[in-house]
Amino acid sequence: MNYLKSSIVVRLTTLFVGLLLCSNSLFSQDVTPCFFDQYTNKKHLAHVEQQIQAAIWRNSTHNSSRTSHDVFMIPIVVHIIHEGGFENISDAQVESQIQILNEDYGKMTGTNGDGNGVDTHVRFCLANKDPSGNCTNGIVRIKSPLANHQSYQRALLKELSFWDNDRYLNIYVVKNINGNVGGYSSFPGGPPDEDGVVVRHNLFGNTGTASSGVGRTTTHELGHWLGLYHTFNNGCGSDLCTDGDYVCDTPPQAAPSFNCATFNTCSNDVPDVNDLKENYLNYTPGTCQNMFTKGQSKRIEATLTTIRRQIWSSSNLISTGCDSIYSAPCSLVADFVTLTTEICIANSVYFMDRSLNKPTNWKWTFMGGNPATSTDQNPTVTYNSVGSYAVKLVVSDSTGSDSLETSSYITVNLPGRGDPLSFKENFDRGIYPPSTLTINNLDGGITWELDSMASVSGNYSLKINNLINTNYGSSDELILPHFDLGTAHPDSNVYMSFKWAYAKSDPTFSDEMLVLVSTDCGLNYSQVFYRTQAALATGPTQTTPFIPDSTQWKDAVISLNSYRNNSYVQLKIINVTDGGNNLYIDNIYVGDGSTATTSVSEKSDMSGFVVLYPNPNMGNSTFAFSLDRQRKVKIEVYSMQGQLVKSINEGAMIRGTHRVNISAAGLKQGVYFVRLTMGAIEKTVQMVITTPQ
Ligand SMILES: [Zn+2]
């Protein structure tokens, strides 16, 4: 079972407001739909074209034993290459894409694929058996930095995970491709170890992180994999059949079209008809695509009866579990995960089913929990008594069942008693991770590291490299031990202090540093310190890596006097990256002092800060913000398509810090924008709702 920690991601930017307004054109303008033309080798294409043309001729003149009702079933393996974030898409999202492929290639009645085209007789199946003959759901998950994919690294990507391409169509789902490419595919007959299709996670399927409801990027890319060119290949060309896209019945097209408007860009066709905006091999948005032509279907058949004839052979379908009589012999395996196993009294735990081989029934038993039993797949359970409790899950389907029981799985504490003061950490022992702190790096990418180039006094500091971090908005937390602030001397000030150093790399990049405090086991956090832009910088703006000299460190001194009655105080320092420059931390201290050297005014920073946490979340999050005076507050959640999906009207709220819970029950997995309106002020934060990892 996995144990994941919650995390905070903050993103303060007006960019997302812009996206809300123009999200319909988001992908047609910002994303290169397909990298096929840049990727393919022209010499290789000429050779393969001869084979395809010969096969088209053969198939048209020789009546093969195939009947028009036979289908070409293609076993698929989907490799999800992820970094542990929302790009680790759900099984359901993968299955939604397979469904779309079958609708589109099968011209299934009543679906989006039922346009004015033909049934290609190609069908797709997630493999039920892996290359060794073992049970599989056809989905492989691999955590790797290659999730940020560059097409020149395609060989490396396929070294991570690759199933024999004569037997399986390898599809790779990644976090991004060359920054802004939607997908690309190999052409038939290329190097076997580079065979396959790569698609960005948010263009895959029509649920979860999928940003559109149509999922046509993969339909398009598999067209290339099956031997089709873009409809605008070679522009208008000189001959409708032997030039252009080598398909007679697709009208010639001078250039790709990125919208659903009607164009007629070439006049060398007779009769002169409009460009085929409905064709899957155009660049038009998936919403206006719904067809393959008969000519394209013949090219696909030619590819499948020559270069790719092995993959749909009946012997291969049996060995991959994609034959029509296959019935799953794979037995159920009960499993589950939770975000945490240790909570404070009266808090809740979200249990996520991770059982294998598709159970249809779930029976949970929660010792000490409320409810004590549940038949939901993913229940939320509240624990109202201190103790250590077992959890049992029994999963079943019509063929059998499996169970998993873990004793002492959930530990419920009173908000206990933290460590006595004082606390010091200067990193000079050179131990990483520092033994006194916990580093929470949710995105698995760049995080806090030990640095020997800069230190206030001694050998080391802790640094985070925002300069090379392109995962904008990701947060990295330094979690301090829990403290009993009641151990402070009664006449002293209780405070936290540390030194920091930072330089900007660009006037517009706004890395952020926050300090948060919780007194209820992390259920709620208050922000007690915030710096960004000029208030964060301690050195001059520079595009090279910032290394502070001894004069470029600043003191953070944060009063904790208002928490001195709390015996269980959690503190964390957070960096939120915006791709700026290095941030250094050194000489952390939590303790008391007899003089009034302490409290700093955070007034100017307390106006209008916005923190959404945890983020990504499983559907429940908290919006924390401060008001400089009484203002009317409204919170709205928008989908990527700009649709308002939730609205919380708080009315007038007084000056100070507030927290509002956002329950996103009913919202599916994906990316949302949360807009906070405070009187005339608006802030928009990206929110990711994720599923179990
Ligand atoms: Zn393409």
Side-chain angles (χ1 to χ4, degrees):
M1 268 171 279
N2 298 319
Y3 171 68
L4 302 172
K5 288 183 172 161
S6 61
S7 153
I8 296 182
V9 175
V10 186
R11 177 72 172 165
L12 304 179
T13 171
T14 53
L15 171 67
F16 294 114
V17 177
L19 291 186
L20 289 175
L21 302 175
C22 59
S23 57
N24 282 342
S25 56
L26 183 62
F27 289 97
S28 57
Q29 291 184 354
D30 294 352
V31 174
T32 303
C34 172
F35 208 60
F36 175 76
D37 292 327
Q38 294 88 333
Y39 163 86
T40 41
N41 175 317
K42 300 289 181 284
K43 211 163 150 188
H44 154 62
L45 292 185
H47 172 69
V48 172
E49 191 55 36
Q50 287 176 0
Q51 291 184 67
I52 292 177
Q53 292 300 336
I56 292 173
W57 182 80
R58 261 199 319 275
N59 290 339
S60 65
T61 53
H62 295 65
N63 229 344
S64 71
S65 58
R66 292 179 50 75
T67 76
S68 60
H69 298 296
D70 286 343
V71 301
F72 301 99
M73 182 62 77
I74 311 288
I76 286 179
V77 52
V78 175
H79 311 269
I80 299 171
I81 313 299
H82 65 91
E83 290 192 305
F86 48 85
E87 72 283 356
N88 185 7
I89 61 171
S90 65
D91 291 358
Q93 189 171 345
V94 173
E95 284 156 8
S96 75
Q97 182 64 68
I98 305 299
Q99 172 70 21
I100 290 165
L101 290 173
N102 283 321
E103 291 172 4
D104 290 354
Y105 279 82
K107 191 184 180 306
M108 281 188 190
T109 308
T111 71
N112 289 334
D114 188 13
N116 191 25
V118 301
D119 175 1
T120 64
H121 297 289
V122 180
R123 299 291 185 272
F124 302 92
C125 157
L126 272 176
N128 289 304
K129 290 186 195 171
D130 73 10
S132 308
N134 297 320
C135 286
T136 178
N137 62 357
I139 301 171
V140 177
R141 295 173 188 277
I142 293 189
K143 196 171 177 183
S144 165
L146 291 177
N148 297 295
H149 178 60
Q150 297 290 326
S151 53
Y152 73 84
Q153 294 177 317
R154 56 187 174 271
L156 284 178
L157 185 74
K158 289 163 189 178
E159 271 174 29
L160 276 182
S161 187
F162 186 79
W163 291 8
D164 181 354
N165 71 309
D166 276 340
R167 301 181 54 203
Y168 302 90
L169 161 54
N170 289 269
I171 297 180
Y172 297 82
V173 175
V174 297
K175 193 171 179 181
N176 54 63
I177 303 170
N178 298 359
N180 67 342
V181 171
Y184 69 96
S185 168
S186 60
F187 204 66
D193 57 357
E194 291 187 13
D195 195 39
V197 172
V198 186
V199 182
R200 234 165 76 155
H201 72 93
N202 60 345
L203 298 176
F204 198 74
N206 64 1
T207 184
T209 69
S211 56
S212 91
V214 287
R216 292 271 157 64
T217 298
T218 311
T219 303
H220 172 108
E221 296 305 335
L222 292 201
H224 293 313
W225 187 84
L226 290 163
L228 300 184
Y229 292 100
H230 290 136
T231 51
F232 49 86
N233 193 56
N234 291 332
C236 295
S238 52
D239 181 280
L240 301 186
C241 294
T242 61
D243 203 352
D245 63 354
Y246 304 97
V247 176
C248 308
D249 61 359
T250 52
Q253 190 177 336
S257 177
F258 293 92
N259 60 49
C260 291
T262 300
F263 293 102
N264 186 358
T265 56
C266 297
S267 56
N268 54 326
D269 45 338
V270 182
D272 181 13
V273 296
N274 292 329
D275 299 353
L276 215 43
K277 65 183 177 188
E278 298 85 359
N279 198 274
Y280 295 122
L281 270 294
N282 206 333
Y283 268 6
T284 43
T287 46
C288 51
Q289 293 180 340
N290 60 20
M291 57 97 71
F292 290 107
T293 68
K294 195 172 178 186
Q296 286 176 317
S297 180
K298 287 194 180 304
R299 277 187 72 87
I300 290 172
E301 182 187 16
T303 300
L304 288 172
T305 52
T306 54
I307 303 162
R308 300 203 188 276
R309 66 177 178 274
Q310 170 67 24
I311 197 165
W312 56 274
S313 67
S314 52
S315 62
N316 190 50
L317 296 185
I318 290 166
S319 68
T320 56
C322 281
D323 52 315
S324 56
I325 57 165
Y326 174 82
S327 66
C330 304
S331 41
L332 297 174
V333 179
D335 197 11
F336 63 87
V337 293
T338 54
L339 288 172
T340 180
T341 57
E342 194 167 347
I343 57 167
C344 277
I345 193 165
N347 286 1
S348 298
V349 179
Y350 181 54
F351 287 86
M352 296 167 283
D353 171 47
R354 298 294 280 160
S355 302
L356 299 180
N357 301 319
K358 299 190 176 73
T360 50
N361 298 295
W362 297 265
K363 191 165 187 296
W364 298 85
T365 308
F366 303 106
M367 290 288 294
N370 179 24
T373 61
S374 174
T375 54
D376 291 350
Q377 186 177 2
N378 301 302
T380 298
V381 179
T382 305
Y383 289 87
N384 292 315
S385 306
V386 170
S388 195
Y389 299 108
V391 175
K392 185 178 182 187
L393 170 62
V394 181
V395 293
S396 60
D397 63 9
S398 57
T399 62
S401 69
D402 187 48
S403 69
L404 173 67
E405 178 158 15
T406 52
S407 58
S408 306
Y409 181 76
I410 295 289
T411 302
V412 183
N413 298 315
L414 286 169
R417 194 161 283 279
D419 299 345
L421 295 177
S422 59
F423 169 85
K424 287 179 185 160
E425 176 58 80
N426 61 14
F427 308 107
D428 286 334
R429 283 169 298 168
I431 297 168
Y432 185 88
S435 53
T436 56
L437 303 177
T438 305
I439 292 174
N440 191 11
N441 170 19
L442 184 93
D443 70 353
I446 291 157
T447 192
W448 296 98
E449 57 185 303
L450 214 51
D451 187 278
S452 61
M453 301 290 285
S455 177
V456 173
S457 57
N459 300 318
Y460 293 99
S461 62
L462 212 60
K463 175 185 84 176
I464 186 159
N465 190 336
N466 291 306
L467 196 60
I468 59 168
N469 197 343
T470 55
N471 196 7
Y472 309 128
S474 72
S475 65
D476 289 86
E477 305 179 344
L478 285 179
I479 301 170
L480 277 67
H482 303 161
F483 298 114
D484 178 358
L485 298 194
T487 60
H489 190 279
D491 300 327
S492 67
N493 284 303
V494 190
Y495 64 96
M496 171 189 193
S497 66
F498 58 88
K499 301 262 189 186
W500 92 87
Y502 173 80
K504 294 165 69 172
S505 65
D506 177 287
T508 62
F509 295 167
S510 13
D511 302 315
E512 296 160 88
M513 177 169 69
L514 301 77
V515 177
L516 303 185
V517 180
S518 173
T519 58
D520 57 6
C521 304
L523 189 64
N524 295 288
Y525 277 94
S526 304
Q527 178 173 286
V528 290
F529 188 80
Y530 179 79
R531 288 283 189 276
T532 190
Q533 293 283 8
L536 181 61
T538 65
T541 300
Q542 58 189 78
T543 53
T544 52
F546 172 60
I547 303 171
D549 64 30
S550 60
T551 67
Q552 291 172 320
W553 290 88
K554 273 193 182 174
D555 284 298
V557 184
I558 301 156
S559 173
L560 300 175
N561 281 334
S562 54
Y563 300 96
R564 64 184 313 139
N565 293 328
N566 291 102
S567 59
Y568 200 70
V569 175
Q570 287 172 270
L571 287 161
K572 50 188 177 185
I573 304 172
I574 302 169
N575 174 84
V576 183
T577 193
D578 196 44
N581 211 325
N582 291 334
L583 171 66
Y584 297 84
I585 300 277
D586 207 352
N587 290 17
I588 300 174
Y589 175 79
V590 181
D592 50 19
S594 54
T595 59
T597 57
T598 52
S599 93
V600 284
S601 168
E602 283 301 313
K603 239 181 202 168
S604 59
D605 290 319
M606 293 300 281
S607 138
F609 84 83
V610 177
V611 186
L612 180 71
Y613 63 90
N615 191 4
N617 61 65
M618 315 293 300
N620 283 298
S621 57
T622 300
F623 220 153
F625 53 92
S626 71
L627 300 176
D628 55 343
R629 60 185 173 85
Q630 178 170 313
R631 291 179 185 274
K632 278 189 179 167
V633 173
K634 191 168 69 173
I635 295 169
E636 292 162 313
V637 181
Y638 289 87
S639 69
M640 280 287 278
Q641 285 73 36
Q643 278 174 322
L644 178 66
V645 294
K646 191 172 189 69
S647 180
I648 303 170
N649 202 338
E650 290 285 340
M653 297 182 91
I654 59 168
R655 179 182 181 279
T657 303
H658 299 277
R659 281 182 293 274
V660 175
N661 292 324
I662 301 177
S663 162
L667 293 186
K668 60 182 187 177
Q669 179 190 1
V671 179
Y672 295 84
F673 299 104
V674 187
R675 181 156 69 193
L676 173 67
T677 308
M678 300 166 286
I681 305 169
E682 277 185 12
K683 299 267 188 184
T684 300
V685 177
Q686 188 180 20
M687 173 171 77
V688 177
I689 297 181
T690 184
T691 54
Q693 304 297 306

